[in-house]
């Protein structure tokens, strides 16, 4: 199994972070098998696109809530990492309190 669980939505409260605020969070390594996805649909064209992160953040966005790590943005990056047999992903992690 690549991820801890595949989810369909964000169970945590809205954090209200804008892209600029995400960019201030230092990236860190996160194990893929600890992540719960917030999307259950994969777009193959995005997965195979070499320039898919050209206009976005180079790092995935992860929300830590109630001891769980939710992959909010970066599903395709995480899957590309898994396809390259890497079990970690560099991500910006934001902690949301209950």
């Amino acid at each position: 199994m690549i991820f801890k669980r595949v989810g369909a939505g964000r169970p945590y409260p809205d954090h209200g972070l804008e892209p600029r605020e995400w960019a201030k969070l230092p990236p860190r390594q996160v194990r893929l098998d600890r992540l719960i996805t917030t999307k259950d649909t994969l777009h193959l064209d995005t997965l195979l696109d070499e320039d898919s992160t050209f206009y976005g953040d180079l790092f995935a966005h992860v929300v830590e809530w109630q001891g769980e790590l939710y992959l909010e943005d970066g599903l395709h990056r995480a899957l590309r990492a898994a396809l390259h047999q890497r079990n970690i992903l560099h991500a910006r992690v934001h902690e949301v309190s209950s």
Side-chain angles (χ1 to χ4, degrees), residues 12-83:
Y12 48 86
D14 183 18
H15 51 68
L17 282 187
E18 298 293 326
R20 245 185 203 154
E21 295 164 307
W22 276 107
K24 292 178 183 175
L25 297 173
R28 69 180 208 209
Q29 293 182 350
V30 178
R31 291 185 50 88
L32 294 176
D33 61 2
R34 290 199 57 219
L35 294 173
I36 300 169
T37 70
T38 59
K39 299 173 186 163
D40 61 358
T41 304
L42 173 67
H43 296 283
L44 191 56
D45 59 335
T46 305
L47 177 66
L48 299 174
D49 184 4
E50 292 180 17
D51 295 329
S52 64
T53 59
F54 185 74
Y55 293 106
D57 195 341
L58 292 176
F59 302 103
H61 295 174
V62 172
V63 173
E64 185 172 357
W65 183 62
Q66 294 184 343
E68 300 285 3
L69 295 174
Y70 294 92
L71 181 60
E72 181 173 289
D73 181 52
L75 176 61
H76 296 91
R77 278 169 273 192
L79 285 171
R80 278 195 299 274
L83 287 171

